[in-house]
Amino acid sequence: MLFAKRQLPLIICFVVGVVTALQDFVPTNFSQKVSIWLSDWYIIAAMFASLLGFGSVALVHSGRIRRQMKGWGYSVLVFVGVVAMFAVGVISGGKEVSDSGSPTPLTWMYVYAMVPLQATMFSLLGFYVASAAFRSFRAKSLESTLLLAAALIVLIGNVPFSNYLWSAKMGLTEWQGIKIGMPDIVGWVMSTPNVAARRGVAFGVALGAIATALKIIFGIERAYLGGGD
Amino acid sequence: MRELFEKLLKMDRRWIFLLVGIALMVPILKPLKLPGLKASTPVQDLYTYIEGLPEGSKVLISFDFDPASKPELEPMGAAIVRHCMRKKLKVVAMTLWVTGASLAQRVVESEATAAGAKYGEDYVYLGWKPGNVAVITGMREDIHVVFPKDSKQTDLSKIPMMQDIRRLRDFDLAFSFAAGSPGLDTWIAYGADKEKVKMGGGSTAVNVPSMAVFVQSGQLVGFIGALRGAAEYELLMNFSGTATRGMDGIALGSYLVAALIILANIGYWLTRKPKGVA
């Protein structure tokens, strides 16, 4: 049993990891077939992961309902939503348009429930961002002052009307041979300090991901196997 | 003055919500038509690139977003599809986001109908396929294997337009309108760069700083940043769509947030206690 729980997953992980990494550098017909084959496996594994994800969500929310924790009514709504959408999907045969050409209940649920609900949730961000910026965006240090200045430049500079006032009305387009139009200033912030920082972060993340991948492939990192026997 | 700012800093956040609501609602009810909209370089580059494509060129458009980002990304998607149809390019549309499948279909169908394009000859909608990166890598090898059928359940082999489109490299230009991952960066890393396919795209405002890296490096032929980018593209296309109409709200909202930040900082400096004072 220990072999199935410990050694076998490590062997599978090592073989798949090495083959996946190598096939990308070997452009032959065989390696391309291996790539497609592995992609299919990835999709199958991802589907099982989705089921696992739903199982986990169901477990959490059923626990909340059972214990009647604060806000347990929302957990009931989670199940109502899942069951309703699933039922409507089955009734509609997974189709958006019926054979007669009319929209199915699935389309109705998508257009009139899911689209406005998701759009509303995302729109609320705008209100919370404004409130959070007012409460916590302070020039307390040199770094936060620089961040604040950059944010204000991009925020105001990205509005076309600002450029109209700045360039057309105030005539601020060039100073001693340097372009100082609003798009030029915003462009500089975005393409110089922003890009430099982003690249630094991207390199760091990539190197970290490579290091973690190597540790998993070679069995140094085994947390994914879970604890205990 | 100090007392006033102290009160202001302790303001109930619902007042801020109300102000934001008013700033966004007023231009919807009464458009201000603020001047100053001009195409930025990345948007102009994208437009010029599409203009330079010969008739019949093949274009892949991936609508990688869900209803949450619809107001920001749908207008740019619609503008690009409209441009492609106007230029008589062959459009293959798809999505990597399951909840975006219907949105993408609606955009493509509505623009195609308006342009009088014929399904299967001028455009095809492949729909959604699970797998994210695996879908892109699979499309590098054989699109017909990844998508054996289109969204209407027709075999790809029976669709005239798809006869000479088998691999990602068969496209003259690929797009991704992305709200996150998988999205534009995924397409660049796993698809376009590997197959030397020209790539363009657009993203939501929060992702614009991340995408600036790819614009600067030249990995994107052009880029549409958020609703403003979409409005710029509509301007180039000579029509006024939802993006153009939304610009007034963006302007007032941005000015309001900027004013709140400046006021809060003035208040902070006026009301802060000197060091050492409890």
Side-chain angles (χ1 to χ4, degrees):
Chain A
M1 276 306 282
L2 198 64
F3 174 77
K5 276 191 172 181
R6 291 282 168 190
Q7 277 87 351
L8 187 62
L10 285 174
I11 293 167
I12 292 172
C13 185
F14 176 78
V15 173
V16 173
V18 171
V19 170
T20 309
L22 284 180
Q23 62 85 21
D24 210 41
F25 298 98
V26 189
T28 63
N29 281 337
F30 178 71
S31 71
Q32 284 173 356
K33 276 180 188 161
V34 169
S35 170
I36 293 173
W37 186 70
L38 285 172
S39 297
D40 288 343
W41 270 100
Y42 171 81
I43 293 167
I44 293 164
M47 284 302 100
F48 277 101
S50 302
L51 282 178
L52 197 69
F54 175 70
S56 174
V57 168
L59 209 66
V60 168
H61 286 281
S62 59
R64 290 172 69 94
I65 296 167
R66 212 171 37 248
R67 287 191 290 276
Q68 301 223 327
M69 289 166 75
K70 194 183 169 193
W72 65 273
Y74 297 114
S75 296
V76 174
L77 280 178
V78 170
F79 288 105
V80 170
V82 170
V83 172
M85 205 68 188
F86 182 76
V88 165
V90 171
I91 291 165
S92 308
K95 290 178 183 171
E96 290 175 27
V97 181
S98 66
D99 294 336
S100 62
S102 59
T104 61
L106 181 66
T107 304
W108 193 92
M109 284 282 276
Y110 182 81
V111 174
Y112 298 110
M114 194 165 169
V115 171
L117 281 171
Q118 277 206 4
T120 305
M121 286 301 291
F122 199 66
S123 305
L124 287 176
L125 272 179
F127 291 83
Y128 286 112
V129 164
S131 169
F134 178 73
R135 294 190 177 279
S136 52
F137 215 166
R138 299 280 188 273
K140 287 181 178 175
S141 62
L142 176 67
E143 291 86 351
S144 59
T145 309
L146 286 172
L147 192 68
L148 188 75
L152 285 175
I153 288 170
V154 174
L155 191 64
I156 297 171
N158 260 333
V159 177
F161 186 61
S162 306
N163 185 41
Y164 173 76
L165 293 175
W166 185 264
S167 302
K169 290 289 168 192
M170 294 161 72
L172 296 168
T173 51
E174 206 173 293
W175 181 74
Q176 296 195 347
I178 303 166
K179 286 185 176 177
I180 55 158
M182 202 59 101
D184 304 310
I185 298 170
V186 174
W188 182 83
V189 172
M190 293 296 279
S191 65
T192 309
N194 169 61
V195 164
R198 291 273 167 187
R199 286 221 171 97
V201 171
F203 275 118
V205 170
L207 289 173
I210 292 168
T212 308
L214 287 175
K215 279 168 78 178
I216 292 172
I217 287 169
F218 292 111
I220 300 163
E221 170 64 56
R222 300 176 181 196
Y224 69 93
L225 291 173
D229 294 324
Chain B
M1 183 66 91
R2 192 186 167 98
E3 287 77 30
L4 182 73
F5 273 104
E6 272 174 355
K7 271 187 186 171
L8 185 81
L9 291 179
K10 285 175 187 162
M11 177 171 62
D12 191 322
R13 65 177 178 170
R14 282 172 293 186
W15 286 109
I16 297 173
F17 295 163
L18 182 68
L19 286 173
V20 174
I22 291 169
L24 299 178
M25 285 297 289
V26 166
I28 294 171
L29 298 170
K30 189 169 171 42
L32 307 170
K33 294 180 181 167
L34 295 171
L37 188 66
K38 215 174 121 187
S40 58
T41 311
V43 173
Q44 181 68 58
D45 288 347
L46 192 57
Y47 179 84
T48 310
Y49 193 86
I50 296 178
E51 275 296 296
L53 287 173
E55 190 180 317
S57 297
K58 297 159 207 122
V59 176
L60 175 74
I61 304 178
S62 188
F63 293 81
D64 303 323
F65 59 91
D66 58 5
S69 306
K70 176 180 177 275
E72 229 178 334
L73 295 178
E74 199 179 80
M76 63 176 79
I80 289 292
V81 174
R82 184 178 288 205
H83 195 184
C84 291
M85 297 286 178
R86 195 184 281 181
K87 286 285 300 172
K88 298 198 184 302
L89 308 179
K90 305 283 181 194
V91 174
V92 176
M94 58 170 285
T95 178
L96 293 175
W97 289 42
V98 63
T99 45
S102 286
L103 293 177
Q105 187 163 20
R106 272 155 218 277
V107 172
V108 177
E109 293 285 358
S110 113
E111 292 300 330
T113 308
K118 209 169 171 191
Y119 190 85
E121 288 178 20
D122 303 312
Y123 74 102
V124 166
Y125 180 59
L126 299 177
W128 170 77
K129 193 83 182 175
N132 302 340
V133 171
V135 173
I136 300 171
T137 50
M139 286 175 75
R140 281 165 50 195
E141 315 301 339
D142 196 339
I143 295 167
H144 291 238
V145 171
V146 180
F147 289 95
K149 294 171 190 288
D150 69 352
S151 63
K152 297 176 193 284
Q153 298 305 307
T154 309
D155 283 345
L156 242 55
S157 55
K158 289 179 183 158
I159 297 174
M161 204 187 105
M162 295 306 292
Q163 299 308 309
D164 53 348
I165 300 177
R166 287 219 67 106
R167 292 171 158 209
L168 196 58
R169 71 180 68 146
D170 293 332
F171 288 103
D172 299 291
L173 182 62
F175 283 101
S176 169
F177 296 109
S181 188
L184 195 44
D185 49 350
T186 324
W187 277 103
I188 293 169
Y190 296 98
D193 276 6
K194 299 264 185 190
E195 299 297 319
K196 306 279 180 276
V197 175
K198 295 288 181 192
M199 187 92 205
S203 77
T204 48
V206 288
N207 286 318
V208 169
S210 313
M211 295 303 125
V213 177
F214 301 112
V215 176
Q216 198 202 43
S217 64
Q219 284 165 289
L220 291 171
V221 294
F223 176 72
I224 304 174
L227 200 68
R228 183 199 163 155
E232 291 171 5
Y233 210 90
E234 287 179 358
L235 182 75
L236 291 170
M237 290 283 293
N238 218 5
F239 80 98
S240 174
T242 47
T244 310
R245 289 196 291 276
M247 284 318 293
D248 287 343
I250 295 280
L252 291 196
S254 300
Y255 287 145
L256 176 69
V257 173
L260 286 171
I261 292 172
I262 292 167
L263 269 178
N265 275 278
I266 294 170
Y268 167 73
W269 283 97
L270 284 177
T271 58
R272 75 184 187 135
K273 293 182 176 81
K275 274 182 184 173
V277 176

